[in-house]
């Protein structure tokens, strides 16, 4: 059978060039990039059950129990989405990860669904990353309230996104594929002003 | 703007939620036994008090769970937030309220 993955086109493929050309340099630098074709698996299971333990065993890490928590191990990141719902973001192929997870729960009351094409991953990196996101996100992203290793579902520029902070100046946004172009173009516009310097350094 | 305290996610702006109308409206025991007027009453007629009102909200851009809120319709003050597993707050008290 032909390998159809060769014909795949990521939701933000058409903006790759603009991401490079419009990267903001200088003290308040910030740039966008797409992490393409990331494996994503939706898990639905009662967290107190054997099935939940079996899924955690396959992933090598616990299913986080509190909003904002991400548990990471090797290639896998498990993001809390609700009291009985998680999103696994992984670099392992869905061809091996999804069957392994599904096999671990067998006939238990649980759902393992490959949702890799549902969202894409948009990375926002740079000293001004938080200031850019704060222009369109109702959440408080200040270090007193948020930080690396935290992920929540919220809105950016009025559309739903999963917002995941991965470093002091690095974020991953996971919009639905159909919203990705809008979110990316909103961000390109939002980053533009940071190319100029202000007398106050533009610090928050 | 309201700020509602999702039982699972904590305080978030109203824009993250969807409103679901009056809470605690029971589905009829035997819908086919209802007259058209009674069915219309169940479907469309809701209380409209000035003061505390129990209503349903969904955290639609967050954890996507439904929960209940008692809100004062005159002052917009949120008097209680509770899940379907929690007991219904006693009117006049703010038991169960977290804001
Ligand atoms: Zn929530």
């Amino acid at each position: 059978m032909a390998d159809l993955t060769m014909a795949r086109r990521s939701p933000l493929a058409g903006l790759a060039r603009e991401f490079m050309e419009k990267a903001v340099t200088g003290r308040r630098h910030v740039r966008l990039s797409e992490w393409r074709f990331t494996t994503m698996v939706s898990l639905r299971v009662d967290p107190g059950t054997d099935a939940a333990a079996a899924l955690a065993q396959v992933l090598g890490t616990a299913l986080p129990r509190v909003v904002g928590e991400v548990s990471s191990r090797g290639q896998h990141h498990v993001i809390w989405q609700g009291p009985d719902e998680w999103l696994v973001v992984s670099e392992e192929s869905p061809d091996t990860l999804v069957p392994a997870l599904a096999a671990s729960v067998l006939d238990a009351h649980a759902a393992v669904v490959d949702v890799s094409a549902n969202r894409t991953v948009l990375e926002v990196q740079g000293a001004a990353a938080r200031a850019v996101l704060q222009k369109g996100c109702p959440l408080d992203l200040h270090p007193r309230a948020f930080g690396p290793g935290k992920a929540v579902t919220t809105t950016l520029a009025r559309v739903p996104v999963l917002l995941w902070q991965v470093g002091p100046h690095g974020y991953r946004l996971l919009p639905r594929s159909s919203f990705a172009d809008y979110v990316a173009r909103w961000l390109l516009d939002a980053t533009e002003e940071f190319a100029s310097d202000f007398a106050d350094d533009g610090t928050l | 703007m309201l700020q509602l305290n999702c039982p699972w996610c904590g305080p978030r702006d109203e824009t993250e939620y969807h409103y679901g109308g009056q809470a605690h409206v029971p589905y009829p025991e035997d819908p086919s036994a209802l007259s058209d007027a009674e069915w219309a009453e169940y479907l469309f007629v809701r209380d409209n008090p000035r003061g505390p009102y129990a209503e349903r909200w969904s955290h639609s851009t967050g954890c996507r769970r439904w929960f209940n809120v008692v809100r004062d319709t005159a002052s917009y003050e949120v008097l209680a937030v509770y899940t379907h597993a929690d007991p219904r707050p006693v009117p006049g008290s703010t038991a169960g309220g977290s804001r």
Side-chain angles (χ1 to χ4, degrees):
Chain A
M1 200 172 84
D3 182 6
L4 292 176
T5 60
M6 297 300 288
R8 285 194 298 183
R9 191 176 154 84
S10 69
L12 295 174
L15 288 175
R17 192 188 172 92
E18 278 198 73
F19 288 163
M20 279 193 289
E21 287 174 355
K22 295 191 173 173
V24 172
T25 56
R27 277 196 301 176
R28 302 193 303 162
H29 56 94
V30 59
R31 61 184 166 79
L32 308 175
S33 58
E34 185 186 19
W35 182 20
R36 304 183 311 150
F37 308 130
T38 314
T39 297
M40 297 184 208
V41 187
S42 166
L43 305 180
R44 297 294 304 268
V45 65
D46 182 334
T49 58
D50 290 345
L55 290 168
Q57 180 90 37
V58 172
L59 294 165
T61 183
L63 306 179
R65 299 290 289 270
V66 178
V67 61
E69 277 193 9
V70 182
S71 61
S72 300
R73 176 81 181 270
Q75 306 179 92
H76 310 311
H77 306 279
V78 188
I79 298 172
W80 186 96
Q81 292 234 276
D84 59 4
E85 183 173 8
W86 294 266
L87 184 70
V88 180
V89 179
S90 178
E91 284 155 72
E92 182 178 335
S93 165
D95 297 340
T96 53
L97 182 58
V98 175
L101 289 167
S104 76
V105 296
L106 286 174
D107 300 329
H109 189 63
V112 175
V113 182
D114 181 358
V115 292
S116 301
N118 184 29
R119 300 168 183 268
T120 193
V121 182
L122 181 57
E123 297 200 293
V124 187
Q125 295 272 358
R130 175 160 62 89
V132 169
L133 296 176
Q134 208 69 86
K135 289 170 72 174
C137 179
L139 273 191
D140 185 2
L141 300 177
H142 190 277
R144 72 179 159 246
F146 207 72
K150 292 227 171 257
V152 292
T153 40
T154 181
T155 58
L156 182 74
R158 298 175 299 283
V159 302
V161 295
L162 203 161
L163 187 153
W164 176 14
Q165 186 169 354
V166 291
H169 303 293
Y171 298 83
R172 288 178 184 153
L173 300 173
L174 284 70
R176 299 278 158 104
S177 294
S178 55
F179 284 113
D181 186 78
Y182 164 77
V183 171
R185 288 179 194 276
W186 184 91
L187 281 166
L188 283 169
D189 179 69
T191 54
E192 204 176 353
E193 65 169 299
F194 292 86
S196 55
D197 269 323
F198 289 99
D200 68 352
D201 274 1
T203 49
L204 284 179
Chain B
M1 168 145 11
L2 281 177
Q3 194 182 55
L4 294 173
N5 205 6
C6 171
W8 295 280
C9 303
R12 300 289 181 91
D13 283 357
E14 182 183 348
T15 50
E16 293 200 5
Y17 298 92
H18 267 103
Y19 183 66
Q22 185 174 2
H24 310 293
V25 178
Y27 190 75
E29 287 274 330
D30 183 4
S32 58
L34 264 50
S35 68
D36 284 355
E38 287 167 333
W39 181 244
E41 173 91 13
Y42 162 70
L43 282 185
F44 304 118
V45 179
R46 295 292 179 265
D47 297 337
N48 186 22
R50 177 184 167 83
Y53 187 48
E55 55 198 15
R56 305 176 73 226
W57 286 84
S58 164
H59 191 190
S60 47
T61 68
C63 63
R64 301 187 295 140
R65 265 60 187 181
W66 285 93
F67 58 97
N68 295 331
V69 171
V70 177
R71 179 178 61 93
D72 188 308
T73 58
S75 67
Y76 274 56
E77 186 184 356
V78 175
L79 302 170
V81 175
Y82 56 105
T83 72
H84 301 298
D86 297 330
R88 186 177 180 175
V90 179
S93 87
T94 55
S98 48
R99 297 192 65 76

